[in-house]
PDB file of all heavy atoms in Angstrom:
ATOM      1  N   GLY A 117      -4.387   2.540  20.856  1.00  0.00           N
ATOM      2  CA  GLY A 117      -4.174   1.787  22.088  1.00  0.00           C
ATOM      3  C   GLY A 117      -2.719   1.409  22.219  1.00  0.00           C
ATOM      4  O   GLY A 117      -1.902   1.764  21.367  1.00  0.00           O
ATOM      5  N   PRO A 118      -2.392   0.684  23.280  1.00  0.00           N
ATOM      6  CA  PRO A 118      -0.985   0.332  23.498  1.00  0.00           C
ATOM      7  C   PRO A 118      -0.527  -0.745  22.516  1.00  0.00           C
ATOM      8  O   PRO A 118      -1.352  -1.423  21.907  1.00  0.00           O
ATOM      9  CB  PRO A 118      -0.996  -0.222  24.920  1.00  0.00           C
ATOM     10  CG  PRO A 118      -2.372  -0.791  25.078  1.00  0.00           C
ATOM     11  CD  PRO A 118      -3.277   0.117  24.296  1.00  0.00           C
ATOM     12  N   CYS A 119       0.793  -0.886  22.406  1.00  0.00           N
ATOM     13  CA  CYS A 119       1.334  -1.974  21.589  1.00  0.00           C
ATOM     14  C   CYS A 119       0.844  -3.295  22.188  1.00  0.00           C
ATOM     15  O   CYS A 119       0.223  -4.098  21.503  1.00  0.00           O
ATOM     16  CB  CYS A 119       2.861  -1.902  21.590  1.00  0.00           C
ATOM     17  SG  CYS A 119       3.612  -3.191  20.615  1.00  0.00           S
ATOM     18  N   ALA A 120       1.123  -3.475  23.473  1.00  0.00           N
ATOM     19  CA  ALA A 120       0.712  -4.713  24.152  1.00  0.00           C
ATOM     20  C   ALA A 120      -0.241  -4.393  25.296  1.00  0.00           C
ATOM     21  O   ALA A 120      -0.152  -3.327  25.913  1.00  0.00           O
ATOM     22  CB  ALA A 120       1.940  -5.413  24.720  1.00  0.00           C
ATOM     23  N   ARG A 143      -7.103  -1.016  20.494  1.00  0.00           N
ATOM     24  CA  ARG A 143      -6.190  -2.090  20.110  1.00  0.00           C
ATOM     25  C   ARG A 143      -5.255  -2.412  21.269  1.00  0.00           C
ATOM     26  O   ARG A 143      -5.165  -1.664  22.250  1.00  0.00           O
ATOM     27  CB  ARG A 143      -5.357  -1.707  18.905  1.00  0.00           C
ATOM     28  CG  ARG A 143      -4.444  -0.526  19.144  1.00  0.00           C
ATOM     29  CD  ARG A 143      -3.142  -0.641  18.354  1.00  0.00           C
ATOM     30  NE  ARG A 143      -2.194  -1.566  18.944  1.00  0.00           N
ATOM     31  CZ  ARG A 143      -1.331  -2.308  18.263  1.00  0.00           C
ATOM     32  NH1 ARG A 143      -1.282  -2.240  16.966  1.00  0.00           N
ATOM     33  NH2 ARG A 143      -0.488  -3.111  18.890  1.00  0.00           N
ATOM     34  N   GLY A 145      -1.989  -5.760  21.867  1.00  0.00           N
ATOM     35  CA  GLY A 145      -1.615  -7.135  21.551  1.00  0.00           C
ATOM     36  C   GLY A 145      -1.605  -8.002  22.804  1.00  0.00           C
ATOM     37  O   GLY A 145      -1.082  -7.593  23.847  1.00  0.00           O
ATOM     38  N   LYS A 148       2.250 -11.320  21.343  1.00  0.00           N
ATOM     39  CA  LYS A 148       3.148 -10.363  20.702  1.00  0.00           C
ATOM     40  C   LYS A 148       4.254 -11.030  19.892  1.00  0.00           C
ATOM     41  O   LYS A 148       4.956 -11.901  20.407  1.00  0.00           O
ATOM     42  CB  LYS A 148       3.815  -9.477  21.776  1.00  0.00           C
ATOM     43  CG  LYS A 148       2.880  -8.537  22.507  1.00  0.00           C
ATOM     44  CD  LYS A 148       2.119  -7.580  21.599  1.00  0.00           C
ATOM     45  CE  LYS A 148       2.978  -6.705  20.742  1.00  0.00           C
ATOM     46  NZ  LYS A 148       2.141  -5.896  19.777  1.00  0.00           N
ATOM     47  N   PRO A 149       4.431 -10.596  18.654  1.00  0.00           N
ATOM     48  CA  PRO A 149       5.525 -11.141  17.829  1.00  0.00           C
ATOM     49  C   PRO A 149       6.830 -10.405  18.136  1.00  0.00           C
ATOM     50  O   PRO A 149       7.180  -9.460  17.458  1.00  0.00           O
ATOM     51  CB  PRO A 149       5.036 -10.838  16.405  1.00  0.00           C
ATOM     52  CG  PRO A 149       4.214  -9.592  16.550  1.00  0.00           C
ATOM     53  CD  PRO A 149       3.655  -9.569  17.941  1.00  0.00           C
ATOM     54  N   ARG A 150       7.550 -10.805  19.179  1.00  0.00           N
ATOM     55  CA  ARG A 150       8.758 -10.084  19.579  1.00  0.00           C
ATOM     56  C   ARG A 150      10.000 -10.671  18.938  1.00  0.00           C
ATOM     57  O   ARG A 150      10.121 -11.900  18.806  1.00  0.00           O
ATOM     58  CB  ARG A 150       8.909 -10.117  21.113  1.00  0.00           C
ATOM     59  CG  ARG A 150       7.709  -9.577  21.884  1.00  0.00           C
ATOM     60  CD  ARG A 150       7.304  -8.175  21.468  1.00  0.00           C
ATOM     61  NE  ARG A 150       8.349  -7.180  21.668  1.00  0.00           N
ATOM     62  CZ  ARG A 150       8.611  -6.594  22.821  1.00  0.00           C
ATOM     63  NH1 ARG A 150       7.890  -6.902  23.905  1.00  0.00           N
ATOM     64  NH2 ARG A 150       9.567  -5.710  22.922  1.00  0.00           N
ATOM     65  N   GLU A 181      -4.114  -8.977  17.590  1.00  0.00           N
ATOM     66  CA  GLU A 181      -3.345  -9.832  16.662  1.00  0.00           C
ATOM     67  C   GLU A 181      -3.434 -11.319  16.986  1.00  0.00           C
ATOM     68  O   GLU A 181      -3.401 -11.720  18.149  1.00  0.00           O
ATOM     69  CB  GLU A 181      -1.868  -9.385  16.680  1.00  0.00           C
ATOM     70  CG  GLU A 181      -0.967 -10.259  15.813  1.00  0.00           C
ATOM     71  CD  GLU A 181       0.409  -9.670  15.537  1.00  0.00           C
ATOM     72  OE1 GLU A 181       0.674  -8.506  15.902  1.00  0.00           O
ATOM     73  OE2 GLU A 181       1.227 -10.395  14.930  1.00  0.00           O
ATOM     74  N   GLN A 199      -6.133  -9.043  13.669  1.00  0.00           N
ATOM     75  CA  GLN A 199      -4.946  -8.479  13.006  1.00  0.00           C
ATOM     76  C   GLN A 199      -3.958  -9.581  12.645  1.00  0.00           C
ATOM     77  O   GLN A 199      -3.664 -10.450  13.458  1.00  0.00           O
ATOM     78  CB  GLN A 199      -4.287  -7.468  13.953  1.00  0.00           C
ATOM     79  CG  GLN A 199      -2.972  -6.901  13.436  1.00  0.00           C
ATOM     80  CD  GLN A 199      -2.437  -5.780  14.326  1.00  0.00           C
ATOM     81  OE1 GLN A 199      -3.200  -4.943  14.834  1.00  0.00           O
ATOM     82  NE2 GLN A 199      -1.129  -5.738  14.526  1.00  0.00           N
ATOM     83  N   ARG A 203       4.952  -9.682  10.367  1.00  0.00           N
ATOM     84  CA  ARG A 203       5.800 -10.887  10.292  1.00  0.00           C
ATOM     85  C   ARG A 203       5.046 -12.120   9.818  1.00  0.00           C
ATOM     86  O   ARG A 203       5.647 -13.117   9.458  1.00  0.00           O
ATOM     87  CB  ARG A 203       6.457 -11.140  11.659  1.00  0.00           C
ATOM     88  CG  ARG A 203       7.522 -10.117  11.964  1.00  0.00           C
ATOM     89  CD  ARG A 203       7.742  -9.903  13.450  1.00  0.00           C
ATOM     90  NE  ARG A 203       8.539  -8.692  13.669  1.00  0.00           N
ATOM     91  CZ  ARG A 203       8.037  -7.455  13.663  1.00  0.00           C
ATOM     92  NH1 ARG A 203       6.745  -7.250  13.471  1.00  0.00           N
ATOM     93  NH2 ARG A 203       8.817  -6.421  13.846  1.00  0.00           N
ATOM     94  N   LYS A 224      -1.600  -6.587   7.897  1.00  0.00           N
ATOM     95  CA  LYS A 224      -0.475  -5.653   7.827  1.00  0.00           C
ATOM     96  C   LYS A 224       0.487  -6.051   6.724  1.00  0.00           C
ATOM     97  O   LYS A 224       0.628  -7.239   6.413  1.00  0.00           O
ATOM     98  CB  LYS A 224       0.225  -5.610   9.181  1.00  0.00           C
ATOM     99  CG  LYS A 224      -0.605  -4.884  10.233  1.00  0.00           C
ATOM    100  CD  LYS A 224       0.224  -4.565  11.444  1.00  0.00           C
ATOM    101  CE  LYS A 224      -0.104  -3.209  11.986  1.00  0.00           C
ATOM    102  NZ  LYS A 224       0.915  -2.777  12.948  1.00  0.00           N
ATOM    103  N   ARG A 254       2.412  -0.319   7.167  1.00  0.00           N
ATOM    104  CA  ARG A 254       3.083  -0.069   8.444  1.00  0.00           C
ATOM    105  C   ARG A 254       4.585   0.137   8.258  1.00  0.00           C
ATOM    106  O   ARG A 254       5.356   0.007   9.209  1.00  0.00           O
ATOM    107  CB  ARG A 254       2.781  -1.188   9.440  1.00  0.00           C
ATOM    108  CG  ARG A 254       2.944  -2.572   8.894  1.00  0.00           C
ATOM    109  CD  ARG A 254       4.362  -3.068   8.788  1.00  0.00           C
ATOM    110  NE  ARG A 254       4.951  -3.333  10.082  1.00  0.00           N
ATOM    111  CZ  ARG A 254       6.245  -3.348  10.322  1.00  0.00           C
ATOM    112  NH1 ARG A 254       7.112  -3.097   9.340  1.00  0.00           N
ATOM    113  NH2 ARG A 254       6.717  -3.607  11.525  1.00  0.00           N
ATOM    114  N   ARG A 264      12.401   3.774  12.022  1.00  0.00           N
ATOM    115  CA  ARG A 264      12.384   2.322  12.245  1.00  0.00           C
ATOM    116  C   ARG A 264      12.151   1.564  10.937  1.00  0.00           C
ATOM    117  O   ARG A 264      12.746   0.543  10.659  1.00  0.00           O
ATOM    118  CB  ARG A 264      11.274   2.001  13.255  1.00  0.00           C
ATOM    119  CG  ARG A 264      11.128   0.532  13.559  1.00  0.00           C
ATOM    120  CD  ARG A 264      10.063   0.302  14.637  1.00  0.00           C
ATOM    121  NE  ARG A 264       9.892  -1.118  14.888  1.00  0.00           N
ATOM    122  CZ  ARG A 264       9.043  -1.613  15.779  1.00  0.00           C
ATOM    123  NH1 ARG A 264       8.289  -0.801  16.509  1.00  0.00           N
ATOM    124  NH2 ARG A 264       8.938  -2.901  15.956  1.00  0.00           N
ATOM    125  N   ASP A 286      -0.513   2.824   9.481  1.00  0.00           N
ATOM    126  CA  ASP A 286       0.016   2.754  10.845  1.00  0.00           C
ATOM    127  C   ASP A 286       1.332   3.531  10.883  1.00  0.00           C
ATOM    128  O   ASP A 286       2.396   2.978  10.603  1.00  0.00           O
ATOM    129  CB  ASP A 286       0.234   1.271  11.204  1.00  0.00           C
ATOM    130  CG  ASP A 286       1.086   1.057  12.453  1.00  0.00           C
ATOM    131  OD1 ASP A 286       1.492   2.047  13.098  1.00  0.00           O
ATOM    132  OD2 ASP A 286       1.350  -0.115  12.776  1.00  0.00           O
ATOM    133  N   SER A 288       2.840   4.669  13.452  1.00  0.00           N
ATOM    134  CA  SER A 288       3.634   4.358  14.654  1.00  0.00           C
ATOM    135  C   SER A 288       4.753   3.375  14.336  1.00  0.00           C
ATOM    136  O   SER A 288       5.931   3.644  14.615  1.00  0.00           O
ATOM    137  CB  SER A 288       2.734   3.792  15.758  1.00  0.00           C
ATOM    138  OG  SER A 288       1.676   4.680  16.031  1.00  0.00           O
ATOM    139  N   HIS A 289       4.397   2.219  13.746  1.00  0.00           N
ATOM    140  CA  HIS A 289       5.435   1.257  13.373  1.00  0.00           C
ATOM    141  C   HIS A 289       6.209   1.744  12.153  1.00  0.00           C
ATOM    142  O   HIS A 289       7.357   1.375  11.955  1.00  0.00           O
ATOM    143  CB  HIS A 289       4.829  -0.135  13.124  1.00  0.00           C
ATOM    144  CG  HIS A 289       4.278  -0.746  14.376  1.00  0.00           C
ATOM    145  ND1 HIS A 289       3.013  -0.500  14.816  1.00  0.00           N
ATOM    146  CD2 HIS A 289       4.845  -1.551  15.302  1.00  0.00           C
ATOM    147  CE1 HIS A 289       2.806  -1.130  15.954  1.00  0.00           C
ATOM    148  NE2 HIS A 289       3.907  -1.772  16.280  1.00  0.00           N
ATOM    149  N   LEU A 313      -3.905   3.634  12.385  1.00  0.00           N
ATOM    150  CA  LEU A 313      -3.642   2.804  13.566  1.00  0.00           C
ATOM    151  C   LEU A 313      -2.516   3.496  14.329  1.00  0.00           C
ATOM    152  O   LEU A 313      -1.427   3.693  13.776  1.00  0.00           O
ATOM    153  CB  LEU A 313      -3.232   1.390  13.126  1.00  0.00           C
ATOM    154  CG  LEU A 313      -3.060   0.327  14.208  1.00  0.00           C
ATOM    155  CD1 LEU A 313      -3.142  -1.061  13.591  1.00  0.00           C
ATOM    156  CD2 LEU A 313      -1.749   0.469  14.951  1.00  0.00           C
ATOM    157  N   GLU A 315      -0.350   3.920  18.060  1.00  0.00           N
ATOM    158  CA  GLU A 315      -0.061   3.405  19.403  1.00  0.00           C
ATOM    159  C   GLU A 315      -0.056   4.547  20.418  1.00  0.00           C
ATOM    160  O   GLU A 315       0.593   5.579  20.218  1.00  0.00           O
ATOM    161  CB  GLU A 315       1.270   2.642  19.404  1.00  0.00           C
ATOM    162  CG  GLU A 315       1.096   1.285  18.725  1.00  0.00           C
ATOM    163  CD  GLU A 315       2.286   0.359  18.807  1.00  0.00           C
ATOM    164  OE1 GLU A 315       3.420   0.828  19.065  1.00  0.00           O
ATOM    165  OE2 GLU A 315       2.080  -0.853  18.601  1.00  0.00           O
ATOM    166  N   SER A 325       6.456  -2.646  25.472  1.00  0.00           N
ATOM    167  CA  SER A 325       6.930  -2.708  24.087  1.00  0.00           C
ATOM    168  C   SER A 325       6.527  -1.439  23.350  1.00  0.00           C
ATOM    169  O   SER A 325       5.485  -0.839  23.649  1.00  0.00           O
ATOM    170  CB  SER A 325       6.388  -3.951  23.362  1.00  0.00           C
ATOM    171  OG  SER A 325       5.008  -3.884  23.222  1.00  0.00           O
ATOM    172  N   ASP A 326       7.380  -1.037  22.438  1.00  0.00           N
ATOM    173  CA  ASP A 326       7.133   0.105  21.546  1.00  0.00           C
ATOM    174  C   ASP A 326       6.816   1.425  22.244  1.00  0.00           C
ATOM    175  O   ASP A 326       6.099   2.272  21.687  1.00  0.00           O
ATOM    176  CB  ASP A 326       6.024  -0.243  20.537  1.00  0.00           C
ATOM    177  CG  ASP A 326       6.528  -1.221  19.462  1.00  0.00           C
ATOM    178  OD1 ASP A 326       7.752  -1.458  19.399  1.00  0.00           O
ATOM    179  OD2 ASP A 326       5.697  -1.744  18.701  1.00  0.00           O
ATOM    180  N   GLY A 327       7.378   1.626  23.448  1.00  0.00           N
ATOM    181  CA  GLY A 327       7.176   2.892  24.161  1.00  0.00           C
ATOM    182  C   GLY A 327       7.691   4.083  23.363  1.00  0.00           C
ATOM    183  O   GLY A 327       7.078   5.149  23.348  1.00  0.00           O
ATOM    184  N   GLN A 329       7.667   4.769  20.361  1.00  0.00           N
ATOM    185  CA  GLN A 329       6.818   5.260  19.261  1.00  0.00           C
ATOM    186  C   GLN A 329       5.392   5.568  19.716  1.00  0.00           C
ATOM    187  O   GLN A 329       4.541   5.924  18.898  1.00  0.00           O
ATOM    188  CB  GLN A 329       6.796   4.240  18.112  1.00  0.00           C
ATOM    189  CG  GLN A 329       6.068   2.943  18.447  1.00  0.00           C
ATOM    190  CD  GLN A 329       6.336   1.844  17.443  1.00  0.00           C
ATOM    191  OE1 GLN A 329       7.429   1.758  16.889  1.00  0.00           O
ATOM    192  NE2 GLN A 329       5.344   1.008  17.181  1.00  0.00           N
ATOM    193  N   SER A 330       5.144   5.429  21.027  1.00  0.00           N
ATOM    194  CA  SER A 330       3.773   5.625  21.517  1.00  0.00           C
ATOM    195  C   SER A 330       3.506   7.082  21.878  1.00  0.00           C
ATOM    196  O   SER A 330       4.336   7.733  22.511  1.00  0.00           O
ATOM    197  CB  SER A 330       3.521   4.745  22.743  1.00  0.00           C
ATOM    198  OG  SER A 330       3.663   3.393  22.381  1.00  0.00           O
TER     199      SER A 330
HETATM  200 MN1  LIG B   7       3.760  -2.298  18.426  1.00  0.00          MN
END
Side-chain angles (χ1 to χ4, degrees):
C119 180
R143 63 147 283 148
K148 293 303 302 174
R150 304 306 300 278
E181 177 166 353
Q199 175 173 321
R203 289 153 193 81
K224 288 194 140 194
R254 48 78 71 203
R264 179 176 178 179
D286 166 2
S288 305
H289 293 86
L313 186 160
E315 286 187 341
S325 66
D326 287 350
Q329 69 194 34
S330 298

